[in-house]
Amino acid sequence: MKPLLRNTVDLARRANLSKGYAAVFATVAIWSLPSLFMYYLNRFYDPWAQNFYRYSIACVAIAPLVLWRARRAGQTIDMHAVRLCLLPCLPNVVHQITQVMALFYMGPGVYTIFTRCSVIFTALLALAFFPEERVIIRQWQFQLGTLLGLLGAFGVIWFQANSQSHDRHIALPGLFIAFTATFCWALYGVLIKRPSAELGSIRSFGLVSFITSALLLPLMLAFGSIATPIHAGAHANLVLVISAVICITLAHILYYVAIHEIGVALSQTLQLLCPAIAMALSAWIYHERLTHAQLWSAAVLLLGAFLAMRTKPIATAETAENI
């Protein structure tokens, strides 16, 4: 009986690993696409409308799963849960707006590479918010990774040619917007730690998508155009829907499966493949090219992110990629 039981356990473990690897590689493929979708949609949607409609569609898409999980577990969505998720939504709103704006100054491949430095920002913020995790700052991998990552991130952006003039470097507003987007993404990754742990990944994301959509609505009414989908055309609207459902809702669910089956560390490490895939796709679709200085800076950034990730708090890593 024991060999039979052992074989059954081994088969179950292999099945779980296969499911985890399938989920993480699907996530890597999906998370290589958001900047390409947003870059395309910038031709038809203003940043305010694009983000409101994308997040609203993602909210509607995940709502049935949230309700099904809540009913199955006997959970309720009360004001305590809403209050838990409200604070992380504030930097998330800023991130969503600024990441779309950043794509007016740089290509989707460059932006995807640059966002890898959010790994470092997340770790630094975790050190500030969680005193018990400050011991990692003494590790040389973290110190060296942080330095290399920040230098590489600055180089990737700084050596981006200014498309609005003949300047060799990106315009300062573009530099500021890109750093703001990445910093707010890291801040969101740290602040979502508690709601994600208390409410669960799916339930917390359902609330985050709803609250984020609600916060984006007045911004769109004030600065954007609510009628954008009418003028954008069927093709652009279809791209918007696909990007919302796949890159926000589906990616979140798959990443949750990946970290559950194969762990946070490996799931996070494999995300470093995203910039290479995004860069290849952007070069093929939009003919985006990196200068030699940007390529070297990108290599330094990814090396720094990898080193910092080796020492990054596990609980923070688990939530750092919650789109």
Side-chain angles (χ1 to χ4, degrees):
M1 291 296 292
K2 288 184 178 180
L4 180 61
L5 180 61
R6 190 179 298 112
N7 289 337
T8 303
V9 172
D10 289 341
L11 287 173
R13 186 181 294 114
R14 288 174 188 170
N16 290 338
L17 283 175
S18 297
K19 183 168 69 172
Y21 278 111
V24 76
F25 281 114
T27 307
V28 168
I30 291 172
W31 273 336
S32 303
L33 302 176
S35 61
L36 281 83
F37 280 124
M38 290 183 290
Y39 187 80
Y40 171 80
L41 290 169
N42 274 347
R43 306 172 187 176
F44 307 95
Y45 279 79
D46 62 80
W48 317 96
Q50 181 182 155
N51 281 289
F52 169 73
Y53 284 113
R54 284 179 72 246
Y55 246 85
S56 298
I57 292 168
C59 178
V60 172
I62 203 171
L65 180 59
V66 173
L67 295 174
W68 177 75
R69 290 283 293 265
R71 182 177 300 176
R72 185 182 180 187
Q75 299 170 333
T76 58
I77 299 177
D78 51 21
M79 288 307 299
H80 171 68
V82 173
R83 284 194 295 269
L84 272 179
C85 294
L86 179 59
L87 183 59
C89 289
L90 299 178
N92 189 36
V93 167
V94 177
H95 163 71
Q96 297 302 327
I97 297 296
T98 50
Q99 72 171 344
V100 173
M101 289 182 172
L103 291 169
F104 286 106
Y105 295 90
M106 65 194 71
V110 169
Y111 180 75
T112 304
I113 293 171
F114 177 77
T115 54
R116 290 302 99 188
C117 70
S118 64
V119 168
I120 294 164
F121 288 146
T122 303
L124 291 172
L125 287 167
L127 298 178
F129 280 90
F130 310 115
E132 68 275 12
E133 295 175 341
R134 290 175 186 166
V135 66
I136 71 166
I137 201 170
R138 300 172 189 158
Q139 300 182 34
W140 70 266
Q141 295 99 324
F142 178 76
Q143 297 172 3
L144 180 60
T146 299
L147 178 62
L148 292 176
L150 294 177
L151 288 173
F154 182 81
V156 167
I157 295 295
W158 182 246
F159 293 112
Q160 170 73 26
N162 188 351
S163 60
Q164 300 172 358
S165 72
H166 297 292
D167 196 348
R168 292 179 54 210
H169 303 296
I170 191 173
L172 288 179
L175 186 65
F176 174 75
I177 290 170
F179 268 98
T180 301
T182 306
F183 178 81
C184 287
W185 182 236
L187 182 59
Y188 165 71
V190 172
L191 294 178
I192 198 64
K193 173 183 175 180
R194 184 185 171 196
S196 183
E198 188 169 330
L199 303 176
S201 181
I202 300 298
R203 188 178 172 205
S204 62
F205 177 70
L207 281 171
V208 164
S209 62
F210 175 78
I211 297 170
T212 300
S213 300
L215 294 174
L216 286 167
L217 177 59
L219 292 174
M220 181 191 64
L221 294 176
F223 304 107
S225 172
I226 194 171
T228 303
I230 299 175
H231 306 293
H235 186 267
N237 291 334
L238 179 61
V239 171
L240 182 99
V241 171
I242 292 173
S243 69
V245 174
I246 294 179
C247 297
I248 300 179
T249 305
L250 181 60
H252 178 89
I253 296 170
L254 288 172
Y255 189 70
Y256 177 72
V257 172
I259 61 176
H260 181 72
E261 300 296 346
I262 65 175
V264 175
L266 183 56
S267 298
Q268 277 282 93
T269 302
L270 289 173
Q271 298 304 317
L272 293 177
L273 295 173
C274 291
I277 299 173
M279 193 66 242
L281 290 173
S282 184
W284 176 45
I285 299 171
Y286 300 118
H287 308 291
E288 181 184 10
R289 298 290 185 272
L290 267 67
T291 64
H292 291 296
Q294 284 180 299
L295 288 171
W296 280 107
S297 298
V300 170
L301 190 162
L302 294 177
L303 175 61
F306 176 78
L307 289 173
M309 202 185 320
R310 297 295 82 198
T311 58
K312 192 171 63 170
I314 293 298
T316 303
E318 186 168 333
T319 57
E321 293 286 355
N322 283 343
I323 289 184

